[in-house]
Each structure stands twice: as structure tokens, then as C-alpha cells.
Amino acid sequence: MAVIVTDERLGIFPSLDTKTEQAPCRVACPLHTDAQGYIWLIAQGRFREAFEVAKAVNPLVSAISRVCAHPCETKCRRAKVDEAISICALKRFAVDWGREAAGAAPVPPRRYSERVAIIGGGPSGLTAASDLARLGYAVTIFEKLPAAGGIFYYGIPTYRLPRTELAEDVKAIEALGVEIQTGVEVGKDITVQELFDQGYSSVLIAVGLSVSRDLPIPGAKLPGVLMALPFLAEVNATGKCKDVPSGSSVVVIGGGNVAIDVARSAFRAGASRVQLACLESEKEIPASPWEVEEAAEEGVEINCSWGPVQVLEKDGKVAGLEVQSCTCVFDADHRFNPQFDPSCKMQLEGDIVIFAIGQGSDLSLAKDTDIQLNQRGQLIADREKFTTTQPGVFACGEVMLGPGNAVTAMSSAHRAAMAVHCYLRQIEMPERVEDTFQALGEVAEPTIERIPTQKRQAMPVIEPEVRKRSSEPFELGFSEEQAIAEARRCLNCAAGAENQMVRCANCLTCLRVCPFGVPIIGDEGKIQIRLDQCQACGICARECPATSIELRRDQHETIPAQLEALGVSIEALARTADPVIVAYRCHYGWHAENGVDEEAPTGARVVDMLCSARVDIQDIIKAFQLGADGVMVAVCADDDCHLQGVKRVRARVERTRQLLDAIGIDGKRLEVVELTSPVRQNFRKAVEEMTHRLAEMGPSPARRVPAV
């Protein structure tokens, strides 16, 4: 039984369910985004709802969908079958195809009189501001730079994150009532104490890591030695860097994602050659593997296991970088402790050297306050309570956690916002719902053997030689066909069948019909449906004579609303002279081949199902009750159904025909058609043929003109 934990955030994050068993992708995400949920919706073509699920815990979803390190994919159970689901690309698709339809979120009411000041308008500051505004507080962000966004705006290259996408997120946060004051530096233009004096009840420090670090090596102060973040900010703003003349040869020091961004941006700024030197080996390099691969494709020369010795000088200018072999980066306790071989050196020729070895925080705001720093100049903060040494002042994000990815910083901001709320309300911090989450175990080998393999969809990209000179986004995004093809690969982890034992007759029907061998007989002779092996095809739920099986995610409950939206009702159809068909169409089969999506043929009201295996007898009868003249169930070809449910659908339709005959509705008004190639033309032809046949049969006996 799921453990229910009270958390006030459930009021602002309705997608945070309380069940313990969760898809591993969701558990791995620092924000615990319901990836399985939005992928499930994309598979059905419900893009607006997919966007809303993705955004529920992520106020910067448009930006994150472009730049996330997607730790979720490292835990995707599909990888055991073939390849992991392209989760981040599907999130971007949900944004691209669902954001406009979703529209603006409602403005939350002001529930509390207190005002909260947030110092820093980067990912963590914006996230905390969104939470506090949705909880009912007046929130002001103080950002020292001219635009909000922090590292997203000034650090991440535009070829990865178009600023228009970030602007959409910022605009949505401002629409919640959050005030953003840019060009205001706390500690210089206004002090922390003055914020309290002006009526702010709490202050949250979210300044991130905005200062690039250098190295105390010879030549580090030469003209032509640059720092990573100022370089990126200039290139992002102008497309060029005044200190990198066209045709320059650039040497980058560092092996993280920022270093890779700098190296790739150097080409876009006009460099003719870019070399990178890092301490780590090829296996240890901390940058994301796909970033390293893309940089190499663009011509960045990556030199692993080399450490800087000195910046070379000629005539008072940079002439390159001398490096020595790095034999080991970490000691036996995995602490950073690089070891070198001074006898093995080489020189990397170049006109420009850029340090990209890490960042620190600007904490000048702590001067003349009770906010204490440690000996290394870092903020002293409680990572569980998010408090600093000054009462009423809190912290979150990388200023407290140190370097990491954006979603981890944003996760801490969620918790920090709750800490501020509890401080102002004088209540205890609640336990987090996410702390009860448990990832499902591995997919068993016998189950894997029954799952058809499907190729992962590749993100369309611009060719390396073209993109390396352009600041425009090089990833083009999935098409609708690609997105649905990729979404259909999802194993629907933790979304499958649960047996309500109080109703179970132990008839073994589920064991007999499951195509994946999921139900087993337990030690007590009772049926057990193993959620960790379930593919959520829905066959057992539809075939169970005791209706004791329920799906955690079931489209069945939404069908009445979909029919209503399509105008399927006695009142509406009574005014229609032509035959009307309700077509339950397998969304997988419909998108099995590429092609221009066509509007439904005249007379057809199409309900796209995640899989036709989920079409229930009740769904068919419901359509007839609402006045449909005929019902079509459009299925994949027998050998193409990845959930292996076509035979069951055919048998279910035959039973329904018998029931229709018994109640006076000709069973010939119900038929099954295959979505065979060419899918769109054949579907239209099948609808037209059925429409002609229904016209000869006349209106359905269930259609009645409502009494006046």
C-alpha cells in the first residue's frame, strides 16, 4: 500500500502522486518530473496535457527541455531491451507542440501578507520565486545583471538554448505576480538589512556561481588570456568576442560542460582552430558524453590527461599553452588530487587561452551582515534546512551546493521555498513525498524476450561544418511522427495493472491473456500481477470478468469526455442526417509510417487510443448509446502490434457484436479494420465504405430525437 505523506506542495504540484512505486526515470530526476506521464500523453497525441505534466514541477521547462543533462535516461529500463527512451527530446517536443495550447497559468491569489526577496534571477532563484508566488506570497527577485536567467541567459550558448525559450519561462513566472528588478546588485545598490527595513520578511540567496576561476600559473595575466563566463556572455550577446580575432587559434583549459561550451563557441566567434586540454582521461572527462561527441564532430581537438604548466609568451602576447602529462586525477578516496609526470610535456600553439576550470560565487552581499562564510569564502548554510547564519536569510542552488546541473539546483530551490514558507508560517518542514519514492526493479529477462525491439529516434541536427559557424539552434526537434514513434517505445513503467484482491475471483484469466507473462500464482495460490514487469497494455483489465484489475494510468476514464468534445451525443447527432461513425483508432498504428496527417473523413469521430487493446466493450456500447450509427476499431496489423493485443481486440469485438444483436442494434454496425500501409489512405477508404454501408442500413435504433 502506498505511503501517503502530507506535503503542502501537493496543492501547487498536482502531479506529485503519493504512490511509492515509481518509474526509475522519475526517481532519477532531481525534480522528479513525471516523464513517464508526459511520454504516455505524447503517445496519445495529447500534447497540451503532456506540456502541463512536464511543467508541473518545472517552471523553466522550456529552457530545461533544451539543455537538461537528463539523468533520467541513465535509469531508463528500456535500455535493457535496446536503447533508452529519448526523454529530454520528448520533453522538448511537449514544449514545442503543447505550450501554446496550454496558455497562461491562472494568477494565484495572495494568501499571505509577507513579502519575500530573492537575490539572484538564475534557475534556482526563478524556481523558488515561482513556488512562493504559487503558495500565495509577494515575491521580488533582485538580479544584478540586465536580464534574468543567470547561467541560462549569460552562460549557455544560444545554439543550445535560444533566448526566446528562456523568455517564455521568465514571462510565465512574472505572470504569477513575481516582480523582477534587474540591474540591482544586493550588497552594492541595496543591502540585505535594507531589504528587511523595506518590509521583506525573508531573504533567499540564490546567486549561483557567476565568477570564473583562473590558475596561478606563469603567463596567466597575459593579454589574450580570457575567463570562460565573460567570454560566453559576450559571444551569446553579440555572436563575437572582441578579444578573439577572426582566424584565431584558441586553447581551452578544462573538461566540464562549460569548457566544451567555450570550445564550441570559439568556432562560432570566428576561431580557425580550437584545442582543449583537460586533466581527466577520456573515460573520466566530466562533460556530458554527447557534448564531447558533438564538439569533436565540429572539429574541437580534445587532449585528455594533460595539465597546464604555463601560458606561453611571445612578444608580450599569448603563444600557446605548455602542458604536462596527468597520470592520476583522484586519489584512492576519490578526492581531487591530480598527479603529474613533469618529464612528459608538450606545447599547444594558440593565440588565445581561455580558462574554463570552474566557477565560484560573488558573496560581497554578506559584508556587514551576520551571514557567515567559511575559510574558502563559501557560504555557510544548512543543506537540510536551507538556513544561513542570519535568521530569516535562506540559500539554495549552487551557491550552497557547489557545481552541478541546473535541475539539481532547481530541486534545492523547491525545498528552500518550502523552508521559507514554513519559517514564515512557524510550522515544521513536512517530509517530502519524493522521499517515499521507490524505483521499480529491473525488467526480467523472460519479459525482455517478449518485448519487440524498436530503434531509438535520432534528433535531427544541422551538419557539423554548417552549425559550427552559426549561433542558431543546431537541434531541430522531433516531428510529430518521430515523437510518437519514440513515445511508443516507452515501457510505461509503474503505469500498469494493479489487482484489487477484494474483487478478484482468482479465475486466472489475466494469467492466460497477458502477452508478457506478468501475472503469476503466488505462494498462497493467489494471482499476483507484478507491476515491475507490466507493460500497461491493458489487456488483462479489459478481459477480467470480475473487473478487479485497474490500470494506474487508464485512458478509458477519459473516453466519455473525448466523445463529448467530438460532438457525439443524442442531441447533436439527432440533427445529423448522414451516418456518424465513432472510430477508436490505435495511435501507434496511425503513426507507424510517416505521412501528412489528414483530417478525419467526413462522418468519422476519431478517438485516438494509446493502443486499441484498451478499447473496452463499455467504450463501444457508450458510442452507440450516444447515437453513433456505427463503431470502428482501427488496429495495427496482427504482426505489428507491439503490445500483442490485436487478437484480443478481435475477440472482444465479436463478443460485443453478439451483445448488440441481443439488444436490437445490428452487430454489423461494428467492425475491425487494420491500419495497413498506406495507412492514411486505407483508413479513409475503410471509413468511406462503412459510411456507405451504414447509409443503406439507416440510422441506428439508439438514435432518438430528444423530446421538445
Side-chain angles (χ1 to χ4, degrees), residues 84-332:
I85 302 295
S86 189
I87 299 174
C88 191
L90 287 173
K91 181 186 295 181
R92 172 179 167 180
F93 178 85
V95 170
D96 291 345
W97 289 68
R99 181 177 62 201
E100 184 175 350
V107 178
R110 279 287 306 275
R111 297 173 58 195
Y112 308 112
S113 61
E114 292 91 347
R115 300 161 61 206
V116 180
I118 296 178
I119 306 174
S124 59
L126 289 166
T127 300
S130 174
D131 283 9
L132 288 163
R134 292 166 73 184
L135 283 166
Y137 293 94
V139 183
T140 304
I141 293 175
F142 295 91
E143 168 58 56
K144 70 177 182 179
L145 295 174
I151 192 69
F152 280 180
Y153 191 95
Y154 293 97
I156 295 180
T158 55
Y159 65 80
R160 291 179 58 202
L161 175 57
R163 295 308 182 256
T164 52
E165 296 299 311
L166 176 61
E168 288 288 341
D169 291 331
V170 173
K171 181 175 67 175
I173 292 170
E174 288 181 303
L176 298 175
V178 174
E179 180 187 1
I180 302 178
Q181 295 189 20
T182 57
V184 179
E185 184 174 354
V186 177
K188 180 180 178 181
D189 301 313
I190 188 172
T191 67
V192 171
Q193 185 56 50
E194 286 173 338
L195 290 175
F196 284 110
D197 293 342
Q198 290 183 9
Y200 289 96
S201 301
S202 182
V203 174
L204 176 62
I205 300 173
V207 296
L209 304 175
S210 59
V211 181
S212 287
R213 291 175 175 162
D214 59 8
L215 283 172
I217 59 175
K221 302 301 182 182
L222 283 171
V225 176
L226 310 178
M227 297 295 108
L229 294 184
F231 168 77
L232 287 172
E234 185 174 351
V235 175
N236 289 335
T238 66
K240 298 290 182 180
C241 177
K242 62 180 183 300
D243 295 317
V244 181
S246 180
S248 297
S249 178
V250 174
V251 180
V252 180
I253 306 174
N257 282 330
V258 172
I260 296 294
D261 284 345
V262 167
R264 298 176 69 182
S265 295
F267 273 131
R268 290 161 172 83
S272 60
R273 184 185 185 188
V274 180
Q275 301 173 82
L276 182 145
C278 64
L279 299 175
E280 298 84 2
S281 67
E282 290 184 10
K283 293 182 178 180
E284 295 173 320
I285 189 168
S288 302
W290 57 92
E291 293 277 353
V292 176
E293 181 180 348
E294 289 164 357
E297 289 174 349
E298 293 173 6
V300 176
E301 302 168 37
I302 300 175
N303 300 278
C304 292
S305 300
W306 293 96
V309 176
Q310 63 175 327
V311 177
L312 300 173
E313 177 184 1
K314 183 177 180 180
D315 299 329
K317 298 180 180 179
V318 169
L321 180 71
E322 184 179 50
V323 293
Q324 59 184 339
S325 173
C326 180
T327 58
C328 180
V329 179
F330 303 101
D331 62 20

Side-chain angles (χ1 to χ4, degrees), residues 18 112 136 213 239 338 360 368 449 460 485 520 550 563 644 688 704:
T18 56
Y112 308 112
R213 291 175 175 162
D368 299 325
E449 292 173 357
I520 59 173
E550 298 176 358
L563 291 173
Q644 306 172 43
E688 290 172 350
R704 295 288 185 270

Side-chain angles (χ1 to χ4, degrees), residues 33 53 64 129 187 333 381 407 495 547 645:
T33 305
V53 168
I64 286 292
D333 296 322
V407 286
T547 64

Side-chain angles (χ1 to χ4, degrees), residues 618-654:
Q618 297 175 39
D619 304 327
I620 297 170
I621 297 297
K622 183 67 176 178
F624 282 113
Q625 287 176 333
L626 293 175
D629 296 298
V631 174
M632 173 186 290
V633 182
V635 301
C636 298
D638 285 342
D639 59 353
D640 192 44
C641 178
H642 82 300
L643 293 178
Q644 306 172 43
V646 172
K647 292 181 180 179
R648 296 293 169 191
V649 174
R650 292 185 182 279
R652 200 175 305 144
V653 166
E654 188 56 40

Side-chain angles (χ1 to χ4, degrees), residues 254-462:
N257 282 330
V258 172
I260 296 294
D261 284 345
V262 167
R264 298 176 69 182
S265 295
F267 273 131
R268 290 161 172 83
S272 60
R273 184 185 185 188
V274 180
Q275 301 173 82
L276 182 145
C278 64
L279 299 175
E280 298 84 2
S281 67
E282 290 184 10
K283 293 182 178 180
E284 295 173 320
I285 189 168
S288 302
W290 57 92
E291 293 277 353
V292 176
E293 181 180 348
E294 289 164 357
E297 289 174 349
E298 293 173 6
V300 176
E301 302 168 37
I302 300 175
N303 300 278
C304 292
S305 300
W306 293 96
V309 176
Q310 63 175 327
V311 177
L312 300 173
E313 177 184 1
K314 183 177 180 180
D315 299 329
K317 298 180 180 179
V318 169
L321 180 71
E322 184 179 50
V323 293
Q324 59 184 339
S325 173
C326 180
T327 58
C328 180
V329 179
F330 303 101
D331 62 20
D333 296 322
H334 205 70
R335 291 175 298 192
F336 183 72
N337 186 24
Q339 302 297 311
F340 301 97
D341 179 3
S343 67
C344 182
K345 295 181 179 180
M346 72 172 180
Q347 294 183 351
L348 303 176
E349 296 181 357
D351 313 308
I352 304 294
V353 171
I354 305 177
F355 284 98
I357 59 169
Q359 296 83 44
S361 297
D362 178 0
L363 289 169
S364 56
L365 62 87
K367 185 179 179 181
D368 299 325
T369 71
D370 292 330
I371 302 168
Q372 296 180 12
L373 311 180
N374 62 22
Q375 292 181 342
R376 300 177 63 184
Q378 298 167 325
L379 185 69
I380 297 175
D382 188 317
R383 295 194 177 193
E384 295 298 321
K385 298 178 180 179
F386 299 88
T387 52
T388 67
T389 52
Q390 179 167 332
V393 179
F394 296 78
C396 66
E398 291 185 328
V399 68
M400 181 182 72
L401 301 175
N405 58 49
V407 286
T408 299
M410 293 169 66
S411 176
S412 78
H414 281 320
R415 193 66 173 155
M418 182 54 62
V420 171
H421 169 63
C422 293
Y423 165 76
L424 295 176
R425 303 271 63 80
Q426 298 185 2
I427 58 177
E428 292 294 319
M429 280 277 283
E431 295 182 50
R432 296 188 296 179
V433 169
E434 306 97 300
D435 289 341
T436 70
F437 285 177
Q438 295 177 12
L440 293 185
E442 297 290 346
V443 184
E445 193 61 37
T447 307
I448 291 175
E449 292 173 357
R450 300 187 187 202
I451 300 173
T453 58
Q454 292 173 305
K455 186 178 181 181
R456 174 178 164 124
Q457 294 291 309
M459 171 66 76
V461 297
I462 297 173

